[in-house]
Amino acid sequence: MASLSKAGAALTALREDLTGDVFAPGDAGYDEARTVFNAMIDRRPAAIAQCADEADVVRSVRFARELDLPVAVRGGGHSVAGTAVNDDGLVIDLRRMRTVTVDPADQAVRVAGGATMSELDRATQPYGLATTGGRASTTGVGGFVLGGGTGWLDRCCGLAVDNLLAVELVTADGTLVHASADENPELFWALHGGGGNFGVATAITLKLHELPRFSIALTVSLPEHGPEAVRTYRDVIATAPAEASGAVLYFTGPPDAFVPPHLVGTMLCGVLLTYAGAEEDLRKLAEPLLALPHETEIVGAMPYADVQCMLDDPPGLRNYWSAEYLTGVPDDFVAAFCSLADSLPVPTGCQHILWPQGGAIADGPRDYPVPYRDAPWSVHPFGIWEDPVDDERCIAWVRGVREAVRPWSTGDVYLNFIGDEGTERVVAGLGAENTRRLGRVKREYDPDNVFRFNHNIRPV
């Protein structure tokens, strides 16, 4: 760490050089700038550089290197681990860099590093185009894609990372690098799941797919009908086209229009069948689900960008998530999954989620560091609550779900779904051989492990 006088002079110079804003402790706006989605994260960086453009990012990285400051990178700030902010380091905040540029002729989109999923979806929707996005509209596109990227379209369009065409990256020495299949191909490979380990992604380019119509069927049942609902959904997906996706989830009924007033605050079982196509085709697929006992239903065409907002949770709540990828969902698993809902913390925002893979996910490129590609299903215990008094029981429930479904687990994991669960889980999210190869790429582009506030890959 540099001397206080040198640090003060460097900070003054950074404020003068940046087009964007710089916040330090004591500045008005500092506390707002350091706040992230997960309220369990309360960190105090030495400085926050809210970059307005690529040149600002280069200056910020060089500032951090000059003072030997650790660097955290903030895109959407949605990471459950809170990796967008650190203690006593520099945060490179990309939220002022949000431009989304659609090229309908080439069916591609360039997304600046601070853009959210909603901004991507709203920009592509007028052209009848879309690409795989996260299941929450507030998710940052950059971190989501570089970490792998799963969502309602992945069974028909592939994982988000399968649609990656190019990345513009500022590396640890402040150099701007372009990575694509033809330029820096080994770095480009590493960015297909290796996350923010190799630099600051100031922009990414993604392949788009035609999506003129989108439809959903949502049923909400009492929990005693859950096992039948899960089995039926499983069987529907088994024979459905790749355009079909969705999830089964247990949750606390919120005070929303789709929940009858007498069920607000109680545990419910929801089945969401999404379909990248016309409502009439969806209705045929959904017939077995609609025939089951349920309290309420929503069936019809809905713009994809609107569906993306359905599971949004507000910022400022406490979050702890995890996941397990599964070899299958036989009846004994279904019984175990549904019984785990009995311990779901109610009433909170916690959700007990099961969703399918297959389709274009399983058929996608085999070489990328995303070992969970072959798993047909995933369980995602999603802990979210407001009162710190509930910390212990909500975290214990998430861990309990992981432990209980382990007999059906492949051992792989999608790293964007988890917080800090140790080095072994990082390897499980990348694959052992891939981790070694990624370590060699890390050594070339970040030998000092400057970018280590992430699911970290050490240089080897």
Side-chain angles (χ1 to χ4, degrees), residues 44-61:
R44 301 187 64 82
I48 300 168
Q50 292 190 337
C51 299
D53 53 29
E54 211 167 58
D56 276 2
V57 175
V58 171
R59 294 185 188 102
S60 298
V61 170

Side-chain angles (χ1 to χ4, degrees), residues 90-291:
L90 175 69
V91 171
I92 295 179
D93 186 340
L94 305 178
R95 285 178 294 168
R96 291 185 59 173
M97 301 169 60
R98 307 172 80 99
T99 303
V100 178
T101 306
V102 181
D103 183 343
D106 285 345
Q107 291 195 351
V109 60
R110 182 183 183 274
V111 185
T116 64
M117 204 58 60
S118 180
E119 289 160 336
L120 168 60
D121 295 334
R122 299 295 179 189
T124 60
Q125 185 164 281
Y127 302 96
L129 299 170
T131 194
T132 300
R135 296 173 178 88
S137 69
T138 53
T139 303
V141 177
F144 166 78
V145 172
L146 300 185
T150 171
W152 305 129
L153 295 180
D154 53 15
R155 281 174 40 85
C156 62
C157 301
L159 297 169
V161 78
D162 296 343
N163 295 287
L164 185 62
L165 299 175
V167 182
E168 295 160 44
L169 197 76
V170 176
T171 60
D173 61 359
T175 300
L176 181 62
V177 173
H178 187 270
S180 66
D182 299 321
E183 191 173 355
N184 298 303
E186 186 68 1
L187 174 61
F188 188 58
W189 170 85
L191 292 167
H192 284 73
N197 273 281
F198 309 100
V200 185
T202 56
I204 61 175
T205 303
L206 297 167
K207 177 183 178 181
L208 295 173
H209 303 261
E210 293 183 4
L211 189 70
R213 291 177 290 184
F214 200 79
S215 311
I216 69 161
L218 171 67
T219 63
V220 177
S221 306
L222 298 177
E224 53 261 39
H225 299 299
E228 186 179 11
V230 176
R231 289 192 298 268
T232 304
Y233 176 71
R234 173 198 64 190
D235 296 343
V236 167
I237 289 294
T239 58
E243 287 79 10
S245 188
V248 179
L249 66 158
Y250 287 87
F251 64 104
T252 299
D256 290 339
F258 75 95
V259 176
H262 69 284
L263 295 178
V264 171
T266 66
M267 185 171 70
L268 300 169
C269 178
V271 179
L272 173 65
L273 182 64
T274 64
Y275 188 73
E279 178 183 343
E280 54 266 32
D281 296 326
L282 167 78
R283 285 187 176 274
K284 293 175 185 176
L285 278 176
E287 282 177 359
L289 293 166
L290 296 173

